[in-house]
Amino acid sequence: MTLFEAVTGSLPFQAPDALALLMHHLKTRPPVPSSRRPDLPVEWDALILRLLAKEPLQRFSSMAEVAQQLRRLGGGGGPTAEDLSETMAFE
């Protein structure tokens, strides 16, 4: 969720109350990140959606695997640390 928000500037789900939000987390497929940030390369979509997969077996098996993917994407025209810091609204 944090990476989705960092990349797009918004959370994947909005709901009027906690129960509705919980139901989204359990049942609703998250939106494709590039639907909120059209300049995002498809590789970032794949990474983020895999991190948010509802089925645990569809997620990465370790943080080392995630780190490897992030390193691979680092030179692929995706968001930079500066982009992410501009997108995130810290209060």
Side-chain angles (χ1 to χ4, degrees):
M1 291 296 171
T2 302
L3 184 56
F4 186 101
E5 184 178 14
V7 168
T8 67
S10 64
L11 291 170
F13 304 117
Q14 301 292 321
D17 57 56
L19 182 58
L21 185 60
L22 176 62
M23 292 309 294
H24 276 304
H25 280 280
L26 292 173
K27 306 276 184 189
T28 306
R29 213 176 205 175
V32 176
S34 62
S35 70
R36 305 230 178 126
R37 185 174 168 186
D39 64 324
L40 192 68
V42 295
E43 295 85 4
W44 281 88
D45 282 339
L47 171 78
I48 294 167
L49 292 176
R50 187 169 172 193
L51 286 166
L52 296 176
K54 305 289 182 200
E55 251 332 287
L57 292 176
Q58 294 176 349
R59 296 181 208 139
F60 290 97
S61 60
S62 69
M63 282 308 296
E65 191 178 354
V66 174
Q68 178 183 14
Q69 291 298 314
L70 287 169
R71 280 191 296 277
R72 187 178 65 77
L73 292 176
T80 64
E82 287 176 355
D83 293 336
L84 296 180
S85 67
E86 289 175 11
T87 304
M88 291 293 289
F90 294 102
E91 298 179 9

